[in-house]
Amino acid sequence: MKRFKKTLDKVLSDVCVGLLAFMTLITIYQITMRYVFNSPSTISEDILSYSFVWVSLLGTALVFGQKDHMRLSFFSDKVKGRGQIALSIFSELLILTIAISVFLVGGKAVMGVGALQISPTLYISMDWIYIILPISGILILIYSLINIIQSIQEFNESGKGEWQ
């Protein structure tokens, strides 16, 4: 499980780094075209906007996977043992519920609408842009399940108690 998570982390972080490098190059191109050649590019503006959304959502999945998201530690610092593991699992189940309802179900609905739209500058169907919603939802779902399994394993390995 740890090896799979580590591989997923690596692939996802490499994709985010690649997207950020791509966005940097597109930004340099856009600035050069606008200020040096006095011929602004509308295509690069759309590519940057879509890339920003993609890198944000993929980065969100990565952050949830690494448990680096913002959280209030007020409750988790107060409970120990089984209460802490229960709170951790509850938190992951809440994230899982949001990922399913917003990213998967909502993303599928948005993709349905996007299939009827064409990007005015790129001339592609907008569902190719909106597909990142269910993709990031699936990634967050996978990470939440991994986090739940790892929390239970760490609790059992720490000798604090068994679930039996």
Side-chain angles (χ1 to χ4, degrees):
M1 186 65 64
K2 288 183 181 182
R3 186 176 188 151
F4 173 75
K5 184 177 183 288
K6 189 174 182 177
T7 302
L8 187 58
D9 286 348
K10 177 73 173 139
V11 169
L12 205 49
S13 63
D14 287 350
V15 168
C16 287
V17 166
L19 272 171
L20 286 171
F22 173 73
M23 289 171 62
T24 301
L25 293 174
I26 295 295
T27 302
I28 292 169
Y29 166 78
Q30 184 178 17
I31 291 169
T32 304
M33 293 304 292
R34 179 173 303 213
Y35 294 109
V36 175
F37 297 107
N38 202 23
S39 177
S41 170
T42 56
I43 292 174
S44 62
E45 186 72 35
D46 278 355
I47 291 173
L48 277 172
S49 297
Y50 301 147
S51 296
F52 183 74
V53 171
W54 274 61
V55 78
S56 297
L57 290 172
L58 291 175
T60 298
L62 182 61
V63 166
F64 274 112
Q66 296 176 347
K67 292 186 177 181
D68 282 340
H69 52 81
M70 287 178 37
R71 66 183 179 94
L72 297 174
S73 60
F74 179 75
F75 292 116
S76 62
D77 290 344
K78 302 285 186 224
V79 294
K80 301 289 181 219
R82 289 186 182 184
Q84 193 172 31
I85 189 72
L87 187 60
S88 175
I89 291 172
F90 175 75
S91 174
E92 291 297 332
L93 288 173
L94 191 60
I95 291 168
L96 196 102
T97 303
I98 292 169
I100 290 171
S101 61
V102 173
F103 290 102
L104 293 178
V105 175
K108 185 179 176 192
V110 169
M111 281 184 64
V113 172
L116 305 173
Q117 301 171 340
I118 301 292
S119 171
T121 56
L122 300 176
Y123 303 108
I124 59 171
S125 177
M126 288 301 290
D127 58 348
W128 287 105
I129 305 300
Y130 298 146
I131 197 169
I132 193 60
L133 289 166
I135 288 172
S136 61
I138 290 168
L139 290 169
I140 292 170
L141 186 132
I142 290 169
Y143 274 127
S144 289
L145 293 174
I146 290 171
N147 289 341
I148 289 170
I149 292 167
Q150 284 182 338
S151 293
I152 292 171
Q153 287 174 344
E154 288 169 8
F155 179 75
N156 287 336
E157 289 171 3
S158 70
K160 293 179 183 175
E162 294 288 329
W163 287 98
Q164 302 164 356

